Amino acid sequence: MNKLLCSGFSRLKKNRFFWAECVFMIAYGIFLVVNKYMQQVTYHTVESLDKGFFGYTMAIGVAMALFESLFVGTEYSDGTIRNKLIVGHSRIKIYLANLSVNIAAALLLCLCFLIPVTAIGIPLLGVWQAGADIILWMLLGTLLLAAAFSAVFTMFSMICSSKTAVLTASIIFMIALFLVAVVVEVKLDAPEYVTSYFMNQEGGIETRTEPNPKYLTESEREFYQFVYDFLPTGQAMQYSLMSAMHLWQMPLYSVLISLAVTGAGTAIFRRKDIK
């Protein structure tokens, strides 16, 4: 296992695409902070470091979908996985070693965002307005979310030998998850009452407040909130906006997702025919 990990981290260190993503995360973080500061100066508003501090959650899923499809896919195209099996490494160890390297890559990408945002954001915008306990819970949740994204795309990459197919499937999967999360968010944000406008007999415009037929019942709201909290993209949207309400449930969901997809991925990979 140690040899597999050393080999994986050595490949990661030399991977140009990974370093390009690191540069992107650094630039993305700096852009968000500077943009907030410019809004504060231009419009004389008070901006805080809170919103935007976890902005990387919206990018980490896409970043890992692209990176892992190429990073692990290269092992299939170059015959590296087959060679590892020939020299005696077990399939479970190969899978877990790749998962470990991918999770480490995801966490490093998160740090590439967090370090410049903290270093530049505090002098420009001040410290966080939210309590330290909330920031720490969210930080833990976002890192576990990054690990969950890594676990999902490790499974995709390990069970399919085609780099192109994995890349396509990963991108489509991310788009689908984001669309579902947006639909769920719209459902949850629907107001209880809506205002309608109509013209009276005198030609004036009057308003009438009516119950919104799209407003969720209590049981429906609980279901949609669970889906929103469980979906990795739903978590990403909540963390990035600092709107997460269930700070202990969402990290648990990320752990469950990681364990579930890793269990499924290893089971399929053990039976995969590798030529």
Side-chain angles (χ1 to χ4, degrees):
M1 185 72 171
N2 289 336
K3 291 182 178 180
L4 290 172
L5 288 173
C6 289
S7 174
F9 282 113
S10 177
R11 289 183 59 235
L12 179 65
K13 184 179 178 181
K14 300 174 183 177
N15 190 277
R16 294 182 179 180
F17 188 77
F18 170 71
W19 290 113
E21 289 193 334
C22 288
V23 172
F24 169 79
M25 294 298 278
I26 293 171
Y28 179 46
I30 294 174
F31 168 77
L32 288 182
V33 171
V34 173
N35 185 56
K36 278 185 172 294
Y37 179 71
M38 293 303 297
Q39 288 180 351
Q40 180 174 274
V41 172
T42 304
Y43 300 107
H44 304 288
T45 57
V46 178
E47 299 290 336
S48 69
L49 187 59
D50 297 46
K51 288 187 177 180
F53 185 70
F54 297 109
Y56 59 89
T57 57
M58 296 296 291
I60 193 65
V62 176
M64 294 314 296
L66 297 174
F67 167 73
E68 293 186 44
S69 302
L70 301 174
F71 186 70
V72 179
T74 301
E75 288 204 318
Y76 275 113
S77 60
D78 293 349
T80 306
I81 289 183
R82 183 184 58 189
N83 293 337
K84 290 177 179 178
L85 293 172
I86 292 173
V87 298
H89 295 294
S90 70
R91 295 194 178 212
I92 296 240
K93 289 183 177 180
I94 294 173
Y95 189 104
L96 294 180
N98 280 335
L99 174 62
S100 299
V101 174
N102 290 335
I103 290 177
L107 298 181
L108 286 172
L109 288 175
C110 293
L111 288 177
C112 285
F113 180 95
L114 286 169
I115 292 175
V117 166
T118 303
I120 299 174
I122 291 179
L124 293 181
L125 303 174
V127 297
W128 304 270
Q129 293 181 355
D133 56 337
I134 295 177
I135 296 296
L136 290 175
W137 264 111
M138 285 197 159
L139 179 60
L140 173 63
T142 57
L143 296 181
L144 290 174
L145 174 62
F149 274 125
S150 298
V152 169
F153 295 117
T154 295
M155 180 186 70
F156 282 12
S157 303
M158 292 298 291
I159 65 178
C160 181
S161 307
S162 172
K163 187 191 303 185
T164 304
V166 173
L167 181 60
T168 304
S170 298
I171 293 173
I172 293 174
F173 181 74
M174 278 300 302
I175 294 173
L177 281 189
F178 270 116
L179 290 177
V180 172
V182 169
V183 171
V184 171
E185 183 187 35
V186 170
K187 291 279 189 181
L188 289 170
D189 289 343
E192 186 174 0
Y193 297 96
V194 292
T195 301
S196 58
Y197 298 86
F198 63 95
M199 185 174 294
N200 57 27
Q201 295 179 349
E202 289 76 24
I205 297 177
E206 295 185 6
T207 61
R208 180 167 50 205
T209 302
E210 302 172 328
N212 184 2
K214 296 183 179 180
Y215 185 73
L216 300 176
T217 63
E218 185 176 350
S219 59
E220 290 174 335
R221 182 166 296 277
E222 289 179 357
F223 171 75
Y224 278 98
Q225 187 63 56
F226 166 75
V227 174
Y228 198 41
D229 292 342
F230 187 83
L231 283 176
T233 46
Q235 291 187 33
M237 292 169 68
Q238 293 181 73
Y239 284 131
S240 64
L241 297 174
M242 290 284 287
S243 62
M245 296 183 295
H246 303 137
L247 292 181
W248 70 268
Q249 289 101 323
M250 294 199 300
L252 177 61
Y253 294 151
S254 292
V255 172
L256 290 175
I257 291 171
S258 298
L259 294 176
V261 297
T262 299
T266 52
I268 297 173
F269 183 66
R270 288 178 64 184
R271 294 169 175 79
K272 179 177 175 59
D273 181 19
I274 300 177
K275 299 179 181 179

